[in-house]
Amino acid sequence: MKNTDLSDVLRPGCSPEEIALKSFFLGPQAENAPWLRELIRDVLDQWVHWRKDHYATDGRAISEADQQTPEFLRSVETFRNEVQEILHRFQSEVPNYSPRYIGHMTTEISLPALVGHMLTLLYNPNNISEEVSRVGLQVEKNAIGALLAMVGYDQSKATGHFTSGGTVANIEGALRARARMRNWIAAGASARKLQRYNGTVVEAAGMGWATYDQLMADPEIRSCRDEGTFDLLDKPFAAADAIRDVFGRSYRGPVVLVPGNKHYSWNKAVDILGLGTEAFTEVKTDELGRMDVADLDRCIGRARDEGRPVMMVISVVGTTELGEVDPIDQIAEVLDSWRENEGIDIWHHVDAAYGGFFCTLRHDESEEYLTNPVKHALRAMYRANSVTIDPHKLGFVPYASGAFLSGSVREYAYTRIKAPYIDFRSDDEPGLTTVEGSRSAAGAVSTWLTSRVIGFDRHGYGRLLARSVVAARKMGLGLADAHPWIRVNVARDTNIVTYCVAREGEPVSRTNARTLALYEAFSTEKDHAFFVSKTALSLSSYEALLRPYAGAWNAGWDTDTLVMLRMVLINPFLDTKETDISYINSFIEHLVASIQTRNELK
Ligand SMILES: *Cc1c(COP(=O)(O)O)cnc(C)c1O
């Protein structure tokens, strides 16, 4: 069946620009292979020239005679065979390039990204320092500049680096938030000891750079701080006692405020930093699964009353489960009011690992793709202290490519650890501040090439993501109409569709069993018609969303989580008109057939 039904209004017309998008990918049937092959051959040829042109008078190390010896030939033969073996094994890899793959946040990679990645591997720079990466590091700076511009940061003040992914980028944010807090507490405690400051520990922890600079300009405070008595990183236990003595209250450590929709990498971050799981405080989410801003304000107030500083507030752009966008603008307002009215400056990190690339649509006035609250949220990202963004998700870049962005060079360069064996030429060499040591330049070069070829704006990525939003909307509408038991979730800010399959009035545990059985049916099919993923939303994190949502079919809450099928609709060819199959319609037919024919689902 061709893709002809469902509201045509939602389909972007096939303008020449839309057709040009097809040059960015190999295509489900490797349609662009002929010219790609040529391009890759050129990449290899230039690599060969690079060698031949350097030290050309050195003479050959491997002679033609060497290459003809039986041992040499045998070892080449083994090599070829082993390569064939691995290639053979990879034939059964998950076909994540296919529009039939609508499971996790993985999809087709773009050709500019692939070629950027491949060519970097050939030159193999190590972006730990300029000593071992002449070009790679420059390209990384260019790529970071492009990401900063996309997010809306002032490039003259902001900075950042590439990481292996969102998890590490989040840890980079947490480390810096903690380092800033440690400095401010130590300055406040030192000044208090000298009776030149009378704030509480919570106020000290959020004193702001202006107060900090003012205190540190006093040589006595500075020397007291340098003694390290109040340094929670150098001497955590002794410093806690010393802090209790000057502030007159036990120091119970900071809290980290994260919304219930958080990614589990935040549990890892808190764990790795040794903050204690009690540091973790979940902010409630609202009826759309976004951070509840009023609850955020309450959580900050409660922490203050308990004498615990808020080390950082984390918000999410593109939640892992539902693709929701927290109200970054309103969160920034709450934090501004704490700064202005209470003198408490709190670090705000936006985890935009998934949704960061939607910034390319933040100035789109058409109202067609993103709602106004989402656009306002995206336009406020520059107000955060730091941002995580994963080109290896919506950037169509191969793994591993994540990025950590910081709005201020001062907050970015939080530590100065020297390695005696590396020649760090300037204070802003990456290896001094990155969590990782040796780092590939491949993720940065891929991202840079995509920014040049596809474009980090409305006309490039904006078009690709707009298509994915349209595909998700069509899928959502189609599913809701297809069968009375399919309950499509209302939370659909971006391109993720979630739903469960529930009968009127039944207990949630029964619905969960059916939804899980459907998931199993998809994943155990021999020919794998489609790939979907699943998730479970808990009442503790999503109460405001789940109660009315499941109330619509009078569900009985006999368990505290609702299992959902989850589909991430990123593939650029999902809604194409050319293929012989309509992926969206076929998926819906497939699902309905499963519901109707399987007895265990009744
Ligand atoms: C994917 C994701 C992460 C983790 O990123 P990795 O690249 O998998 O390490 C963190 N936060 C959010 C919101 C994500 O979607």
Side-chain angles (χ1 to χ4, degrees), residues 336-386:
D336 279 357
S337 91
W338 275 91
R339 188 171 53 244
E340 281 150 26
N341 304 329
E342 311 284 334
I344 298 176
D345 186 343
I346 297 171
W347 190 291
H348 181 193
H349 181 90
V350 179
D351 181 357
Y354 181 65
F357 277 81
F358 276 106
C359 284
T360 53
L361 285 173
R362 72 177 192 270
H363 293 301
D364 178 61
E365 292 303 334
S366 68
E367 305 271 330
E368 243 181 297
Y369 308 118
L370 300 179
T371 61
N372 279 328
V374 171
K375 278 187 263 186
H376 291 150
L378 296 172
R379 287 178 200 162
M381 275 171 67
Y382 75 94
R383 293 167 73 177
N385 298 80
S386 50

Side-chain angles (χ1 to χ4, degrees), residues 197-495:
Y197 181 74
N198 55 19
T200 64
V201 71
V202 171
E203 285 160 352
M207 67 170 56
W209 286 116
T211 307
Y212 176 81
D213 288 340
Q214 210 182 335
L215 293 178
M216 294 304 273
D218 178 332
E220 278 185 78
I221 297 177
R222 198 181 181 89
S223 93
C224 177
R225 190 252 173 272
D226 289 346
E227 283 164 23
T229 316
F230 304 109
D231 198 313
L232 286 159
L233 285 188
D234 289 345
K235 310 171 189 162
F237 304 104
D241 285 348
I243 285 167
R244 178 198 57 213
D245 294 345
V246 295
F247 287 104
R249 185 170 189 177
S250 295
Y251 181 64
R252 287 185 45 219
V255 297
V256 171
L257 298 182
V258 284
N261 59 28
K262 67 178 186 302
H263 185 264
Y264 69 99
S265 54
W266 290 104
N267 301 73
K268 290 186 187 170
V270 164
D271 203 18
I272 290 171
L273 265 60
L275 297 172
T277 42
E278 63 154 4
F280 223 79
T281 306
E282 264 196 27
V283 181
K284 288 194 178 116
T285 56
D286 67 11
E287 65 283 0
L288 288 173
R290 303 171 181 156
M291 185 194 277
D292 175 339
V293 184
D295 194 54
L296 170 67
D297 194 50
R298 276 193 295 274
C299 288
I300 299 173
R302 204 175 309 128
R304 191 246 339 253
D305 296 345
E306 289 170 359
R308 302 186 69 182
V310 175
M311 186 182 103
M312 69 197 303
V313 167
I314 292 135
S315 59
V316 190
V317 165
T319 63
T320 315
E321 280 151 342
L322 308 175
E324 294 299 277
V325 176
D326 283 338
I328 309 300
D329 48 330
Q330 295 171 36
I331 294 165
E333 294 300 320
V334 168
L335 297 180
D336 279 357
S337 91
W338 275 91
R339 188 171 53 244
E340 281 150 26
N341 304 329
E342 311 284 334
I344 298 176
D345 186 343
I346 297 171
W347 190 291
H348 181 193
H349 181 90
V350 179
D351 181 357
Y354 181 65
F357 277 81
F358 276 106
C359 284
T360 53
L361 285 173
R362 72 177 192 270
H363 293 301
D364 178 61
E365 292 303 334
S366 68
E367 305 271 330
E368 243 181 297
Y369 308 118
L370 300 179
T371 61
N372 279 328
V374 171
K375 278 187 263 186
H376 291 150
L378 296 172
R379 287 178 200 162
M381 275 171 67
Y382 75 94
R383 293 167 73 177
N385 298 80
S386 50
V387 169
T388 288
I389 186 162
D390 265 353
H392 67 205
K393 287 177 177 164
L394 287 179
F396 305 96
V397 165
Y399 301 113
S401 182
F404 171 72
L405 308 178
S406 163
S408 128
V409 171
R410 182 178 198 180
E411 294 183 339
Y412 174 76
Y414 77 111
T415 177
R416 291 270 176 263
I417 298 167
K418 302 272 178 194
Y421 63 95
I422 298 171
D423 177 21
F424 288 118
R425 287 166 195 197
S426 68
D427 264 2
D428 65 340
E429 290 260 31
L432 296 169
T433 53
T434 54
V435 168
E436 293 159 278
S438 294
R439 285 181 313 125
S440 167
V445 177
S446 303
T447 304
W448 176 235
L449 211 52
T450 59
S451 80
R452 302 290 292 174
V453 179
I454 303 178
F456 288 177
D457 57 16
R458 204 156 48 83
H459 307 289
Y461 274 90
R463 276 209 173 87
L464 289 170
L465 296 190
R467 288 183 68 88
S468 77
V469 169
V470 170
R473 213 171 290 161
K474 287 172 88 168
M475 183 67 95
L477 292 174
L479 282 171
D481 273 351
H483 194 282
W485 299 354
I486 301 177
R487 317 287 177 168
V488 180
N489 194 341
V490 288
R492 296 206 300 278
D493 277 347
T494 58
N495 52 10

Side-chain angles (χ1 to χ4, degrees), residues 73-85:
L73 290 169
R74 236 191 332 272
S75 103
V76 172
E77 187 59 19
T78 307
F79 179 23
R80 281 190 210 280
N81 291 341
E82 290 298 326
V83 169
Q84 291 308 315
E85 166 72 20

Side-chain angles (χ1 to χ4, degrees), residues 36 39-40 43 110-120 445-446 449:
L36 176 67
L39 188 62
I40 290 179
V43 167
S110 80
L111 296 181
L114 174 70
V115 171
H117 196 97
M118 285 175 64
L119 74 85
T120 312
V445 177
S446 303
L449 211 52

Side-chain angles (χ1 to χ4, degrees), residues 483-487 500-512 514-515 547-557 562 595 601-602:
H483 194 282
W485 299 354
I486 301 177
R487 317 287 177 168
C500 60
V501 183
R503 297 183 70 159
E504 180 71 21
E506 72 181 357
V508 170
S509 60
R510 180 76 198 103
T511 304
N512 288 350
R514 185 182 304 105
T515 308
R547 294 274 183 207
Y549 168 54
W553 66 90
N554 298 307
W557 280 101
L562 180 66
I595 296 172
L601 304 179
K602 291 290 190 279

